[in-house]
Amino acid sequence: MKKECIAMLLAGGQGSRLHVLTSRAAKPILPFGGKYRIIDFPLSNCANSGIDVVGVLTQYMPLQLNSYIGTGLPWDLDIQTGGVFILPPYQVVGAIGKWFSGTANAIYQNIEFIEMWEPDYVLILSADHIYKMNYADMLKQHKAHDADCSIAVIRVPIEEASRFGIMETDDEGFIRKFTEKPKKAESDLASMGIYIFKWRKLKEYLIADERDLCSEKDFGKNIIPAMLNGGEKLWAYNFSGYWRDVGTIDSLWESNMDMLSPSLIDLYDKTWPIRSKSPIKPPHYIGENAEIHHSIITEGCDIKGSVKNSGLGNSVAVGENAIVNYSILMPGCVIEPGAVIEYAIIGENARIGGGAVVGAPPAGQTRPKITTCGPDSIVKPNARIDAGAIIYSERENV
């Protein structure tokens, strides 16, 4: 069945900079913002934008992610004429199976899937960004400028520009120069890792790139530069809303804190809902001596202590006289009575013993050091965990 535009969602990365939080699961499945998972944002954007065919390319520890996505029902992507499709690496008869060796190779290995839908355009997305975007608007501009490729771009602080693909445009907005993660950036116009291509044009470059034994099989390092060198029309789609790449402990903590400010990203916007596969839990309970301020509290929580400036996933328990401040508590974790959690991320089903102190506020005007406890980790009663420390799941902290 022919579709004008389909989406390919890259969700196979390990997320190694998140350390223990992704030791057992892919980054896109990480809990976020109380009741969400990171992948909820691009999937919801697709549904809200009217894109009803989404191929999800998985690779690293995909079991939880595959189970979570299921048929796509929570995002209204369970339709007979489209839907969401899990696309892991696979082997064909007479060939040697191999992992995706880069973002471009991941799409190359799924050319047959894309051809099924006979699309005019293909939208390439990353599954580890937090933002709300109408891809239909981007596609409209792409078509209006007859671009071979459109790249969503955002202004970033120049001191952070070396983390991104940086480009320069002409007076009309067409891209004239693109450098992937330059040592010294000459522009603050950064790629968001969101692309729309004319499918026939992209297919040509994917096939040519696959034949290049020196290529890293990457969109930013290989496909985009090749298209520029080939004289293709590349358009910069300017985006001015909230967008965060949550690839590090600090950025994950900061973006969760941003969820407490509707002026940055409004999760209560009925015109653009962020959907999620939410577990069925009882209502949250707030004890008579509990204190809650400026926080997100999700279903199934049992709060008897103090929670301030924090985000709590479902089924979190905070005991009597416990203090949680500027922290992210993922689903199922238990904070026993008298424990103190500050500037920390506590993984799923972790347990912090009574009287323990995990993390600390920043000294003066310095940037906070975020303490991280992995999923299922145990911090013993009265233990002291320094600011910035990482507690691994397979260890019991003494």
Side-chain angles (χ1 to χ4, degrees):
M1 176 173 291
K2 182 171 177 56
K3 297 284 184 178
E4 180 184 36
C5 182
I6 70 169
M8 299 293 281
L9 183 55
L10 299 164
Q14 179 180 355
S16 57
R17 291 179 297 167
L18 290 168
H19 304 289
V20 67
L21 296 176
T22 53
S23 62
R24 296 194 221 163
K27 180 166 52 172
I29 196 64
L30 278 183
F32 184 88
K35 70 175 298 172
Y36 305 103
R37 304 276 172 165
I38 293 173
I39 199 171
D40 288 331
F41 288 80
L43 285 176
S44 296
N45 287 337
C46 285
N48 294 336
S49 300
I51 295 175
D52 56 12
V53 174
V54 183
V56 181
L57 286 71
T58 62
Q59 180 161 275
Y60 173 77
M61 291 197 170
L63 181 60
Q64 278 186 276
L65 185 60
N66 295 353
S67 176
Y68 181 75
I69 293 173
T71 63
L73 176 62
W75 307 276
D76 289 339
L77 291 171
D78 58 330
I79 62 173
Q80 290 186 341
T81 57
V84 60
F85 300 83
I86 304 296
L87 303 172
Y90 63 92
Q91 181 176 348
V92 297
V93 174
I96 299 175
K98 61 179 182 179
W99 294 112
F100 299 142
S101 57
T103 54
N105 175 259
I107 303 301
Y108 173 83
Q109 288 198 40
N110 285 281
I111 285 177
E112 186 175 349
F113 169 80
I114 297 172
E115 295 276 65
M116 278 175 41
W117 305 99
E118 304 176 59
D120 298 314
Y121 307 98
V122 172
L123 169 66
I124 309 295
L125 304 170
S126 175
D128 53 7
H129 298 159
I130 304 300
Y131 66 109
K132 292 161 62 175
M133 179 189 285
N134 190 337
Y135 304 135
D137 287 345
M138 184 176 175
L139 179 59
K140 184 178 179 180
Q141 282 199 26
H142 177 80
K143 292 161 64 177
H145 291 89
D146 191 30
D148 298 301
C149 169
S150 291
I151 303 176
V153 298
I154 194 168
R155 299 285 179 182
V156 298
I158 195 69
E159 61 271 15
E160 297 181 16
S162 60
R163 296 172 46 216
F164 303 94
I166 297 298
M167 64 204 74
E168 298 175 27
T169 60
D170 62 19
D171 293 340
E172 295 180 345
F174 286 99
I175 299 166
R176 293 293 174 249
K177 183 178 180 181
F178 182 95
T179 308
E180 181 71 0
K181 298 180 180 178
K183 291 183 178 179
K184 185 177 180 181
E186 299 177 1
S187 166
D188 64 352
L189 198 60
S191 169
M192 299 167 64
I194 300 168
Y195 315 109
I196 294 179
F197 293 92
K198 289 180 179 177
W199 168 236
R200 294 303 164 195
K201 187 69 70 173
L202 174 59
K203 183 180 176 182
E204 292 176 11
Y205 279 89
L206 288 174
I207 292 172
D209 185 66
E210 194 64 23
R211 293 171 180 159
D212 183 355
L213 299 181
C214 296
S215 171
E216 296 183 53
K217 317 302 181 192
D218 184 83
F219 277 101
K221 295 177 181 177
N222 305 110
I223 299 296
I224 302 302
M227 294 187 76
L228 274 176
N229 292 335
E232 312 296 354
K233 295 175 68 176
L234 277 68
W235 171 256
Y237 174 76
N238 285 277
F239 180 72
S240 59
Y242 180 90
W243 176 84
R244 288 298 296 264
D245 179 346
V246 289
T248 65
I249 293 292
D250 285 347
S251 63
L252 179 64
W253 178 83
E254 288 166 358
S255 54
N256 269 278
M257 290 294 106
D258 288 344
M259 297 303 105
L260 300 175
S261 301
S263 61
L264 293 175
I265 180 168
D266 186 3
L267 299 177
Y268 302 92
D269 180 4
K270 294 181 180 179
T271 66
W272 202 267
I274 302 300
R275 299 176 174 91
S276 177
K277 184 178 181 180
S278 300
I280 298 174
K281 299 292 181 179
H284 58 253
Y285 173 77
I286 310 301
E288 59 182 352
N289 296 318
E291 181 182 8
I292 297 176
H293 173 74
H294 193 227
S295 297
I296 292 173
I297 310 296
T298 315
E299 297 96 327
C301 286
D302 183 351
I303 312 299
K304 296 182 175 69
S306 172
V307 177
K308 298 180 179 179
N309 306 302
S310 298
L312 277 59
N314 72 78
S315 306
V316 167
V318 178
E320 293 275 0
N321 299 314
I323 295 173
V324 176
N325 197 21
Y326 286 100
S327 293
I328 308 304
L329 275 55
M330 293 184 177
C333 65
V334 175
I335 312 302
E336 293 183 354
V340 177
I341 314 296
E342 294 192 283
Y343 293 86
I345 299 176
I346 310 299
E348 293 185 77
N349 302 312
R351 177 175 289 270
I352 309 301
V357 176
V358 177
Q365 300 299 315
T366 61
R367 188 184 184 96
K369 295 180 179 179
I370 306 306
T371 306
T372 308
C373 295
D376 300 311
S377 58
I378 298 174
V379 173
K380 286 189 173 181
N382 302 311
R384 296 292 186 269
I385 309 300
D386 293 337
I390 298 176
I391 303 303
Y392 287 82
S393 308
E394 56 271 18
R395 300 177 185 170
E396 186 175 84
N397 184 267
V398 178

